[in-house]
Amino acid sequence: METSELLKKVRHIEIKARGLSQNIFAGQYHSAFKGRGMLFSEVREYQYGDDLRDIDWKVTARYNRPYVKIYEEERELTVMLVIDVSGSLTFGSSIMIKRDMVAEIAATLAFSAIQNNDKIGVIFFSDEVEKFIPPRKGKKHILYIIREILSFEPKNQGTEISVALRYLTNAIKKRCTAFLISDFIDPDDYKQSLRIANRKHDIVAVQVYDKLSTNLKPVGLMKVKDPETKEETWIDTSSTKVRNEYSNWWNKRQIEMHNAFRQSSVDYVSVSTDEDYVKSLLQLFQQRR
């Protein structure tokens, strides 16, 4: 991608994502993703209805009348975007390819995090961790992340979600909120890694898929190419048996993915490239409140 084209695309995503995060997501995001706990703020005189457990006995003894401690939420979070950059994300049959939708979703989440004064970092992964951007704050950092999302070229084309989850578990020492954004087309089982990662961190999964991937249209002989293995083959889409086998494969894979999320207590949402991801993200935020 040429520099001028990249900058134009960055600007477009910045305007859209910033508007969404300011006007729609800011309050929902704040409610859905809590801080690490409560910090002591100040003391004041006891009022009827205050919790007796909050009484500050040292100040009470000093002034001979009861005082209570006041706390406020420790709001700052560390947010990690764990982004799939494998070959299958380059597919798209509708308005946009999966990778472009991943970029918009990631940018919107990043701006929402910054609006709430959270740190934001990124892990790009294929079948290995391709790049790690440590969490920081600030607009300059956000724009750098968006540029990387749009222009990053992975060395490998395969997918191994477990590799990314193990890296997240080991690299980020304190508890964070991690958005795992992928199409979840992974030949390997990632349930155990997901369960372990979600014990330490708060994992939220966002599946991006294309409707054409869910079933085959009867258009006759079709040459298909696996974007990750580069393997090519001919299939007869006019065959009811072939279409049913493909549909069964897709449904089985979706069930396995949903079971992995449920068994690991991971909140998730699935978004098609021809759908409005704003509505889906809002639903995800609301179910966590």
Side-chain angles (χ1 to χ4, degrees):
M1 191 182 294
E2 295 183 2
T3 303
S4 59
E5 184 185 351
L6 174 62
L7 290 174
K8 188 176 179 181
K9 206 164 186 179
V10 169
R11 183 60 178 161
H12 169 75
I13 285 188
E14 179 194 0
I15 292 170
K16 183 173 181 179
R18 186 185 292 278
L20 288 172
S21 64
Q22 289 176 339
N23 301 323
I24 299 176
F25 286 129
Q28 298 284 350
Y29 173 94
H30 183 99
S31 299
F33 303 99
K34 305 294 185 184
R36 290 190 296 269
M38 305 299 288
L39 287 175
F40 171 71
S41 176
E42 58 181 337
V43 295
R44 63 162 169 75
E45 281 196 60
Y46 175 85
Q47 297 175 1
Y48 178 75
D50 285 340
D51 193 330
L52 295 177
R53 292 172 295 184
D54 291 335
I55 290 178
D56 187 321
W57 294 106
K58 288 184 179 179
V59 177
T60 296
R62 187 182 307 151
Y63 292 102
N64 273 333
R65 54 184 185 273
Y67 277 77
V68 293
K69 296 177 181 179
I70 304 300
Y71 297 88
E72 61 183 21
E73 184 182 359
E74 187 182 5
R75 197 20 262 183
E76 182 182 292
L77 295 175
T78 295
V79 176
M80 293 298 302
L81 302 176
V82 185
I83 300 175
D84 185 349
V85 291
S86 62
S88 62
L89 271 294
T90 59
F91 177 78
S93 64
S94 187
I95 299 170
M96 63 174 70
I97 64 172
K98 288 187 281 184
R99 181 167 178 173
D100 286 346
M101 177 165 275
V102 165
E104 288 203 11
I105 291 173
T108 302
L109 292 170
F111 274 113
S112 296
I114 290 297
Q115 289 290 323
N116 283 276
N117 203 35
D118 296 335
K119 295 179 181 177
I120 187 86
V122 179
I123 296 172
F124 293 108
F125 74 94
S126 55
D127 53 8
E128 66 176 43
V129 172
E130 298 269 353
K131 185 167 186 173
F132 171 58
I133 302 175
R136 294 196 186 104
K137 295 182 182 182
K139 179 183 175 182
K140 187 176 179 181
H141 182 61
I142 288 290
L143 295 180
Y144 167 63
I145 285 174
I146 295 173
R147 282 197 300 271
E148 286 297 298
I149 291 170
L150 291 173
S151 63
F152 185 78
E153 295 295 335
K155 291 185 294 182
N156 297 350
Q157 297 297 310
T159 307
E160 195 167 343
I161 294 170
S162 290
V163 169
L165 291 171
R166 286 195 294 268
Y167 187 90
L168 172 73
T169 302
N170 295 327
I172 307 300
K173 302 304 180 186
K174 292 184 179 179
R175 182 174 173 81
C176 75
T177 295
F179 291 94
L180 177 58
I181 312 173
S182 173
D183 57 9
F184 292 90
I185 299 177
D186 186 341
D188 298 319
D189 186 354
Y190 50 84
K191 283 198 293 288
Q192 184 177 4
S193 299
L194 185 64
R195 195 177 299 117
I196 292 171
N198 199 45
R199 283 196 200 121
K200 181 176 181 181
H201 302 297
D202 178 15
I203 309 294
V204 181
V206 180
Q207 182 198 28
V208 175
Y209 70 98
D210 191 283
K211 284 276 177 67
L212 190 62
S213 300
T214 65
N215 59 74
L216 294 176
K217 303 298 182 184
V219 295
L221 280 175
M222 178 188 293
K223 188 178 184 180
V224 294
K225 181 179 181 179
D226 188 317
E228 300 195 357
T229 65
K230 304 304 180 186
E231 182 181 343
E232 295 182 344
T233 186
W234 287 92
I235 60 173
D236 183 7
T237 61
S238 62
S239 167
T240 302
K241 181 182 177 183
V242 169
R243 294 200 307 274
N244 286 341
E245 285 178 351
Y246 182 86
S247 180
N248 290 338
W249 169 81
W250 170 264
N251 292 331
K252 181 183 176 184
R253 201 178 62 79
Q254 288 294 101
I255 290 170
E256 289 174 348
M257 181 190 73
H258 295 160
N259 286 339
F261 295 152
R262 189 173 63 254
Q263 291 167 13
S264 304
S265 300
V266 168
D267 292 323
Y268 69 94
V269 67
S270 294
V271 188
S272 171
T273 53
D274 65 349
E275 292 177 347
D276 180 7
Y277 66 85
V278 173
K279 183 178 179 181
S280 297
L281 288 181
L282 281 173
Q283 288 174 347
L284 174 66
F285 291 175
Q286 288 166 359
Q287 77 183 40
R288 290 176 55 92
R289 295 179 69 176

